[in-house]
Amino acid sequence: AGIMPILAPIGLTHDNRTLININADTVAGAVAVALKASKILFMTDVPGVQDANGKNIENLNADTAMALRKSGILKGGMLPKVAACQAAAASGVQSRIIDGRVSDALLNALEGTSGTVVT
């Protein structure tokens, strides 16, 4: 339709009196599932999910993600990204975390040559 929707992840408390900021990664994953998207890309400032040695993990499954969480390697802002990717992937949405600082990051991700695929 030639439009680009912009979503502000703002919600209300149960009494409709207080605005709350909902994590944008969580919202993006839920929207991708609701729209039955074919792909979702999360851009961040690292090459993807990294292991204990700082090496990028090309494919992240649920068991590895859980192990990284338990060990404390997966932390901070990467936690909601991975959780949103896992939820989307469970609904059939191809999910990938990519480095938004890289030139042609989106093109590389669409071609499947960068970041971390989350299953």
Side-chain angles (χ1 to χ4, degrees), residues 42-83:
F42 288 84
M43 297 179 85
T44 188
D45 62 353
V46 293
V49 178
Q50 298 175 336
D51 64 17
N53 298 317
K55 183 180 176 208
N56 191 59
I57 299 170
E58 292 183 19
N59 294 289
L60 182 68
N61 62 34
D63 291 337
T64 303
M66 181 62 73
L68 291 173
R69 277 189 202 98
K70 286 182 179 180
S71 68
I73 295 167
L74 188 60
K75 59 186 177 186
M78 196 57 77
L79 288 169
K81 280 179 182 46
V82 169

Side-chain angles (χ1 to χ4, degrees), residues 3 15 17 30 33 35-37 45 49 53 56 67 97-100:
I3 60 171
D15 60 5
R17 294 181 183 210
V33 170
L35 294 176
K36 296 181 172 78
D45 62 353
V49 178
N53 298 317
N56 191 59
I97 298 171
I98 63 172
D99 190 341

